[in-house]
């Protein structure tokens, strides 16, 4: 190991059980470094040298502030920090395990090159599990990346260089990365994941993308009824949402959980609606039916803030003021004054005694109201008619609506589960309408979605002036461009903090096949991930606690600051360090600063409420500009109202969606694959990882030691599968071998394998070898849960020794106690 200053020459905390993980250096392994655990267990928290400001950076809801305890130049403990607003003091087991992540044996130590890759002879089939790497110097690594980018730009186009920014970090590295991609004119991704419900909701409200917006988290406690729909928040969002839901419950709120599985969140509920997979839209329409039939409509709200009274022509378009008034326009809808029967303009935020239902003649045209259209659309979804199909008792459907309609402010807290069905966006449209019928917008205690209000800072440090900017392709378009099915194919790739291609994307084999058309793949990451194993050039990134940084957050109203605990270990560098030097090689050095503090100052230059020095002192800044209550004033829609009737609706399968029409893809009992593959395959989040991060923490692997499939005992017994035996899950795309776990919490007809496991965690296959990239006509959103499989006992000759042989189970050893490097 080369000599480096400071802690990089000091002891590295590697537990005896953890140290056997590969560092990815040409077949080398890190030998176990053990000390007397008794001594370390007593002394490690005494004699502290410093407590530093920190925060966690994965793609999760918490964005938690942390105190980082450092002694003798090493991180010894991590605790939740009390931020500016103490209501947001939270952390989780994952965040508290950062000591094990900073000193983890899977950390990348040096820049590396795949041994059988060279410019002009990429040998893409050499990528993957058997790839070997050799250590190179930083200058050599960055020269390779820059030269290939410039070559591809010259031979193909700037857009043929793909800058893949993953979700595995935040801070100024992502800002600098996007700035460089824009200066170069490369390609960046737009999301095709978890945007389904948000975009369906957006058609009604004018807001929503990743999930749907709601009031600040601190207002959840004021809700009287909370319907948690499609999210196991007590496992995946417990840092913020779950704690606030418990506050509401303590205050007397009714909690309803809509989920096909009985889980940690369901256990906290007053009522469980075990909806069958993919039928959430049908269930929402049954609730809309109930709101109409039992008359829980907030008529004042509907008249003042929605298009419920808007008049609809027979051709499905809205009547506009230009159609009935000489001075009218083509944008403003028309309503009918109930007493006089005269048409009037339907202005935003304006109450009138408008007719809400009926059929009328206006200037010789037959019209109805938007609410009439919605009521007719819901007429076929009576709870008693839908109960068996959706798997929920009719009385429980009605009780949920009664609570929402009679107990005051409340609403629906959405998870991301429904996003993962092809037609999840129709559910987003439907539940937005349900809340509008009940008047559940714009008040304290209203819960309209799953994204609480966040905070940030003003910044004018963005695109380079005059730069071409990046091409944006949604992720399915990225797959096509990688496969060569694009006039500007992707031929070079620089992935930062991303484990997408080799692990997280649906139909993983299609991505790996497409990757063979790419001449150079560079991956910058902290750990030796599956993406790294498919790289040509490997760039070791420093741990988050080894770099100074600043970030806002989209789920809580704070700006967070982090100071480095020590210098980056080994030869790892911050993403900022790498990107600036890459920019210099590409000819854009004048637009970037090598000095990190200078970059931080420039990023914060437009902010006048606090300075970098203020953040260094306090560690956090409470952004009180974020509204605690949203949906007050005009909605961000063409009409300024909630557009319960959408005249610009998309179509699905030839059906226009001015009002919701629930649909199913693979979860339908009539689907062509239903007989051959009768089980719906879910891949839920685990509380022990954030997507594919944190999966190699020794403490956590003692709890979740290997991937398993949750299967209802009745489904298992029908297939002669014993609890704990290894099984093969398969369909027409791939297979997966894991251990079976009987779980009565999952309804018959569905199975689950927690997502995020790495390829080498599996005995055979991968969970994303079973998923697909089919999307709806309206929204390009990957439908991970809309997957059908069958399960059978694994072949007798399957090798399970990585879990059944104690000598091959390195994650079950002792804690990280320290040692000399």
């Amino acid at each position: 190991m080369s000599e480096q200053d400071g802690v990089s020459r000091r002891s590295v905390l590697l537990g005896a059980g953890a140290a056997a993980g590969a560092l990815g250096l040409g077949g080398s392994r890190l030998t176990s470094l053990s000390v007397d655990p008794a001594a370390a267990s007593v002394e490690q928290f005494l004699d502290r040298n410093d407590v530093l400001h920190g925060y966690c950076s994965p793609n999760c809801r918490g964005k938690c502030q942390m105190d980082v305890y450092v002694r003798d130049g090493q991180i010894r403990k991590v605790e939740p920090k009390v931020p500016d607003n103490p209501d947001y003091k939270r952390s989780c087991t994952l965040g508290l395990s950062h000591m094990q992540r900073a000193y983890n044996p899977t950390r990348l130590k040096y820049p590396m090159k795949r041994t059988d890759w060279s410019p002009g002879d990429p040998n893409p089939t050499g990528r993957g599990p058997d790839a070997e790497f050799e250590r190179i110097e930083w200058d050599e690594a960055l020269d390779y990346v820059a030269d290939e980018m410039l070559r591809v730009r010259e031979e193909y186009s700037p857009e043929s260089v793909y800058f893949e920014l993953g979700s595995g970090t935040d801070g100024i590295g992502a800002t600098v990365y996007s700035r460089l991609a824009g200066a170069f004119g490369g390609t960046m991704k737009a999301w095709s994941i978890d945007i389904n419900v948000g975009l369906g909701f957006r058609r009604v409200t004018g807001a929503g993308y990743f999930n749907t917006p709601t009031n600040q988290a601190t207002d959840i406690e004021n809700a009287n009824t909370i319907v948690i729909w499609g999210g196991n928040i007590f496992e995946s969002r417990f840092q913020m949402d779950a704690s606030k839901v418990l506050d509401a419950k303590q205050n007397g709120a009714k909690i309803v959980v809509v989920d096909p599985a009985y889980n940690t969140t369901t256990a906290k509920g007053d009522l469980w609606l075990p909806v069958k997979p993919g039928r959430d839209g049908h269930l929402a329409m049954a609730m809309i039916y109930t709101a109409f039939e039992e008359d829980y409509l907030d008529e004042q709200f509907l008249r003042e803030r929605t298009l419920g009274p808007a008049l609809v022509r027979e051709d499905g378009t809205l009547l506009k003021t230009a159609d009935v008034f000489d001075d009218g326009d083509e944008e403003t809808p028309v309503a009918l004054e109930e007493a006089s029967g005269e048409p009037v303009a339907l202005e935003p935020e304006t109450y009138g005694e408008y007719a809400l239902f009926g059929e009328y003649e206006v200037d010789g045209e037959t019209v109805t109201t938007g609410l009439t259209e919605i009521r007719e659309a819901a007429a076929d979804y009576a709870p008693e008619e839908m109960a068996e199909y959706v798997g929920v008792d009719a009385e429980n459907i009605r009780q949920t609506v009664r609570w929402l309609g009679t107990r005051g402010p409340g609403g629906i807290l959405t998870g991301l589960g429904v996003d993962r069905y092809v037609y999840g966006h129709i559910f987003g449209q439907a539940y937005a309408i349900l809340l509008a019928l009940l008047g559940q917008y714009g008040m304290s205690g209203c819960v309209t979605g799953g994204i609480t209000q966040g905070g940030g800072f003003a910044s004018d440090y963005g695109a380079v002036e005059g730069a071409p900017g990046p091409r944006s392709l949604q992720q399915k378009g990225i797959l096509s461009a990688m496969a060569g099915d694009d006039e500007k194919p992707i031929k070079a790739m620089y992935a930062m903090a991303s484990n997408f291609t080799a692990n997280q994307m649906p139909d993983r084999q299609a991505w790996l096949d497409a990757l063979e058309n790419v001449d150079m793949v560079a991956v910058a990451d902290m750990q030796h991930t599956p993406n790294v194993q498919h790289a040509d050039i490997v760039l070791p990134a420093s741990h988050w606690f080894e770099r100074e940084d600043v970030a806002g957050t989209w789920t809580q109203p704070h700006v967070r600051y982090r100071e480095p605990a020590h210098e980056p270990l080994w030869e790892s560098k911050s993403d900022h360090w790498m990107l600036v030097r890459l920019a210099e090689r590409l000819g854009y050095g004048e637009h970037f600063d090598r000095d990190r503090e200078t970059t931080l100052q420039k990023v914060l230059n437009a902010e006048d409420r606090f300075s970098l020095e203020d953040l260094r002192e306090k560690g956090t800044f409470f952004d009180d500009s974020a509204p605690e209550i949203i949906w007050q004033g005009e909605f961000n829609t063409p009409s300024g109202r909630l557009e319960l009737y959408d005249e610009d609706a998309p179509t699905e399968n030839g059906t226009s969606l001015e009002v919701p029409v629930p649909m199913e893809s693979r979860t339908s009992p009539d689907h062509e694959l239903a007989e051959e593959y009768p089980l719906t395959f879910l891949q839920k989040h685990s509380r022990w990882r954030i997507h594919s991060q944190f999966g190699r923490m020794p403490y956590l692997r003692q709890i979740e030691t290997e991937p398993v499939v949750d299967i209802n005992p009745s489904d298992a017994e029908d297939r002669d599968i014993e609890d704990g035996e290894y099984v093969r899950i398969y369909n027409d795309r791939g297979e997966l071998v894991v251990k079976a776990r009987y779980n009565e919490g999952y309804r018959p007809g569905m199975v689950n394998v927690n997502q995020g496991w790495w390829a080498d965690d599996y005995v055979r296959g991968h969970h994303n070898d079973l998923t697909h990239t089919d999307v709806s006509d309206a929204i390009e959103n990957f439908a991970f849960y809309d997957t059908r499989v069958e399960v059978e006992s694994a072949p007798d000759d399957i090798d399970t020794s990585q879990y059944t042989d104690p000598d091959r189970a390195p994650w079950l050893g002792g804690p990280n106690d320290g040692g000399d490097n």
Side-chain angles (χ1 to χ4, degrees):
M1 178 176 178
S2 63
E3 291 289 306
Q4 298 178 44
D5 293 334
V7 75
S8 58
R9 295 198 306 268
R10 297 182 58 82
S11 51
V12 179
L13 307 182
L14 296 169
L23 283 162
L25 183 62
S28 70
R29 301 271 175 175
L30 187 67
T31 304
S32 173
L33 306 173
S34 58
V35 297
D36 178 12
S41 63
V42 174
E43 298 177 5
Q44 71 182 84
F45 300 133
L46 302 178
D47 242 0
R48 302 173 186 152
N49 289 102
D50 213 347
V51 181
L52 306 179
H53 301 305
Y55 65 84
C56 202
S57 287
N59 178 21
C60 81
R61 299 271 305 165
K63 311 299 183 187
C64 299
Q65 300 88 352
M66 295 175 168
D67 284 331
V68 181
Y69 290 75
V70 175
R71 182 167 67 85
D72 294 333
Q74 293 182 353
I75 301 166
R76 294 292 187 170
K77 183 174 67 167
V78 178
E79 286 187 345
K81 173 185 285 295
V82 180
D84 258 10
N85 184 337
D87 289 333
Y88 292 94
K89 178 190 176 183
R90 287 291 181 272
S91 191
C92 74
T93 312
L94 306 180
L96 300 181
S97 73
H98 270 297
M99 182 181 74
Q100 291 198 338
R101 197 168 192 211
Y103 308 122
N104 195 277
T106 63
R107 281 279 306 265
L108 295 169
K109 297 173 69 175
Y110 313 112
M112 295 186 291
K113 181 181 79 71
R114 180 162 59 89
T115 55
D116 56 356
W117 176 90
S118 62
D121 185 19
N123 187 28
T125 59
R127 300 179 184 129
D130 297 326
E132 294 187 355
F133 299 89
E134 60 188 6
R135 178 179 174 180
I136 59 177
E137 298 301 319
W138 266 109
D139 282 341
E140 187 179 5
L142 294 173
D143 285 345
Y144 276 132
V145 176
D147 290 347
E148 281 296 284
M149 285 183 167
L150 293 171
R151 179 191 65 80
V152 167
R153 181 170 67 179
E154 179 67 25
E155 293 184 16
Y156 296 93
S157 69
E159 293 89 346
S160 294
V161 175
Y162 176 35
F163 291 78
E164 181 174 82
L165 178 59
S167 60
T169 189
D170 62 11
I172 66 168
T175 302
V176 173
Y177 187 85
S178 299
R179 183 177 173 90
L180 177 58
F184 189 88
T187 292
M188 296 191 76
K189 75 176 188 315
W191 290 95
S192 295
I193 299 175
D194 294 342
I195 61 174
N196 225 358
V197 172
L199 291 179
F201 184 87
R202 187 184 191 92
R203 289 172 46 213
V204 178
T205 65
Y209 186 68
F210 286 123
N211 210 305
T212 49
T214 190
N215 297 342
Q216 274 191 34
T218 48
D219 186 62
I220 292 175
E221 68 180 32
N222 299 316
N224 296 321
T225 304
I226 302 173
V227 181
I228 303 170
W229 202 313
N232 187 3
I233 66 171
F234 283 87
E235 291 200 10
S236 61
R237 287 154 55 172
F238 45 86
Q239 304 96 328
M240 296 296 163
D241 300 352
S243 66
K244 307 308 180 189
V245 168
L246 289 179
D247 291 340
K249 186 176 177 67
Q250 187 172 359
N251 292 340
K254 295 291 186 183
I255 308 298
V256 180
V257 181
V258 184
D259 201 295
Y262 188 88
N263 52 40
T264 312
T265 301
T266 306
K268 305 295 191 295
D270 298 286
L271 199 60
W272 175 35
L273 309 187
V275 62
K276 293 180 180 178
R279 297 176 189 174
D280 303 86
H282 300 77
L283 178 57
M285 289 299 283
M287 292 183 180
I288 289 174
Y289 177 98
T290 304
F292 281 116
E293 187 194 47
E294 299 191 13
D295 194 19
Y296 298 119
L297 305 187
D298 186 333
E299 294 188 356
Q300 178 173 340
F301 181 86
L302 290 166
R303 289 186 168 104
E304 183 174 339
R305 305 198 69 198
T306 80
L307 286 187
L311 299 178
V312 183
R313 292 187 173 104
E314 289 183 303
D315 66 0
T317 62
L318 294 177
L319 196 68
K320 302 297 175 55
T321 55
D323 300 318
V324 294
F325 305 122
D326 291 338
D327 59 349
D329 58 59
E330 299 289 345
E331 288 79 36
T332 306
V334 174
L336 205 68
E337 191 175 71
E338 198 163 36
S340 67
E342 293 297 318
V344 293
L346 194 59
E347 302 287 353
E349 297 296 308
T350 303
Y351 179 80
E353 291 293 332
Y354 311 126
L356 293 178
F357 298 98
E359 182 175 294
Y360 306 93
E361 291 286 329
V362 176
D363 283 2
E365 289 201 67
T366 300
V367 295
T368 61
T369 67
L371 277 179
T372 302
E373 296 288 331
I374 294 168
R375 185 173 63 181
E376 290 180 1
D380 294 332
Y381 296 90
E384 291 70 22
E385 297 295 323
M386 297 307 300
E388 182 178 356
Y389 190 74
V390 301
V392 179
D393 183 78
E395 182 58 25
N396 288 343
I397 298 173
R398 291 184 178 275
Q399 184 62 65
T400 299
V401 181
R402 289 169 190 150
W403 283 344
L404 284 171
T406 63
R407 288 175 51 82
I412 296 173
L413 194 163
T414 48
L416 296 171
V418 187
D419 286 274
R420 294 163 191 179
Y421 300 102
V422 170
Y423 300 114
H425 67 93
I426 300 175
F427 164 74
Q429 177 191 16
Y431 102 79
I433 291 171
L434 172 64
L435 293 182
L437 296 177
L438 305 175
Q440 295 285 12
Y441 288 86
M443 298 181 293
S444 175
C446 287
V447 182
T448 55
I451 299 296
T452 52
Q453 298 303 292
F457 51 84
S459 180
D460 54 12
Y461 185 88
V464 173
E465 185 176 353
R471 172 178 70 162
S472 179
L473 292 178
Q474 283 194 263
Q475 284 164 300
K476 191 164 184 177
I478 294 292
L479 176 58
S480 296
M482 286 173 59
D485 299 329
D486 188 280
E487 63 179 10
K488 297 177 179 179
I490 290 172
K491 302 300 291 183
M493 172 178 169
Y494 183 123
M496 170 181 148
S498 173
N499 202 14
F500 281 129
T501 303
N503 208 76
Q504 293 300 100
M505 289 292 96
D507 197 0
R508 185 181 72 112
Q509 288 300 326
W511 289 83
L512 296 180
D513 290 345
L515 199 65
E516 293 189 7
N517 296 294
V518 181
D519 295 340
M520 188 277 297
V521 177
V523 178
D525 212 317
M526 190 190 309
Q527 293 180 280
H528 195 120
T529 66
N531 248 26
V532 168
Q533 191 61 27
H534 286 80
D536 305 315
I537 303 297
V538 178
L539 308 174
S542 59
H543 183 272
W544 300 327
F545 291 177
E546 295 168 350
R547 57 180 86 159
E548 185 178 26
D549 226 328
V550 175
T553 169
W554 47 279
T555 55
Q556 54 144 315
H558 279 95
V559 177
R560 301 160 296 152
Y561 171 77
R562 179 167 59 215
E563 55 191 317
H566 50 62
E567 291 297 313
L569 291 179
W570 299 293
E571 292 183 9
S572 66
K573 302 293 183 182
S574 71
D575 291 300
H576 169 267
W577 187 97
M578 304 178 209
L579 292 165
V580 170
R581 285 155 180 80
L582 180 61
E584 292 168 356
R585 287 165 166 80
L586 295 173
Y588 305 108
E590 63 184 295
H591 303 296
F592 298 87
D593 296 280
R594 284 199 171 198
D595 181 65
R596 189 177 183 89
E597 180 176 353
T598 301
T599 302
L600 284 166
Q601 295 284 9
K602 287 185 176 181
V603 167
L604 294 172
N605 185 56
E607 179 57 63
D608 58 9
R609 297 170 299 172
F610 60 86
S611 65
L612 179 59
E613 287 68 30
D614 294 331
L615 289 177
R616 284 171 170 168
E617 179 180 349
K618 295 175 57 180
T620 67
F621 172 79
F622 178 62
D623 182 4
D624 59 5
S625 68
E628 186 171 14
I629 312 300
I630 63 171
W631 309 120
Q632 296 183 327
E634 292 187 21
F635 290 91
N636 184 35
T637 60
S639 66
R641 290 170 167 256
L642 286 170
E643 301 205 337
L644 309 191
Y645 183 89
D646 180 13
E647 69 170 338
D648 296 322
T651 61
E652 291 285 11
N653 302 318
T655 299
S656 190
L657 297 173
E658 288 84 4
V659 295
V661 181
M663 297 180 187
E664 288 183 86
S665 180
R666 284 173 168 79
T667 59
S668 170
D670 299 326
H671 193 272
E672 62 183 1
L673 297 174
E675 184 174 348
E676 187 174 4
Y677 305 111
L679 302 174
T680 298
F681 177 58
L682 307 187
Q683 317 97 49
K684 75 173 184 66
H685 287 86
S686 166
R687 75 173 75 188
W688 309 118
R689 62 174 50 78
I690 303 297
H691 298 293
S692 67
Q693 292 187 302
F694 293 94
R696 297 299 169 99
M697 304 303 103
Y699 285 146
L700 304 180
R701 284 299 284 267
Q702 292 182 55
I703 300 169
E704 190 177 39
T705 57
E706 66 178 292
V708 299
V709 57
D710 294 294
I711 185 169
N712 188 279
S714 65
D715 285 331
E717 290 163 6
D718 287 345
R719 294 161 173 80
D720 295 323
I721 292 171
E722 298 290 335
D723 187 25
E725 79 164 281
Y726 283 91
V727 297
R728 175 177 176 257
I729 310 170
Y730 65 96
N731 61 17
D732 54 331
R733 282 176 301 282
E735 66 174 353
L736 171 65
V737 173
V738 290
K739 185 182 288 185
R741 178 171 63 189
Y742 281 12
N743 191 334
E744 293 183 353
Y746 284 83
R747 62 163 53 252
M750 59 184 285
V751 294
N752 170 76
V753 174
N754 288 347
Q755 68 105 342
W757 291 98
W758 293 4
D760 60 359
D761 291 321
Y762 290 111
V763 172
R764 180 188 293 174
H766 192 282
H767 62 275
N768 273 324
D769 291 343
L770 301 168
T771 52
H772 58 84
T773 58
D774 292 355
V775 297
S776 70
D777 295 338
I779 295 175
E780 186 182 296
N781 181 88
F782 292 141
F784 292 87
Y785 289 1
D786 235 322
T787 299
R788 282 191 170 273
V789 299
E790 181 55 288
V791 180
E792 65 184 14
S793 294
D796 292 337
D797 61 350
I798 197 76
D799 180 9
T800 62
S801 60
Q802 70 185 93
Y803 295 115
T804 56
D805 180 354
D807 292 336
R808 294 194 63 196
W811 306 108
L812 301 180
N816 294 46
D817 291 320
D820 293 329
N821 211 14

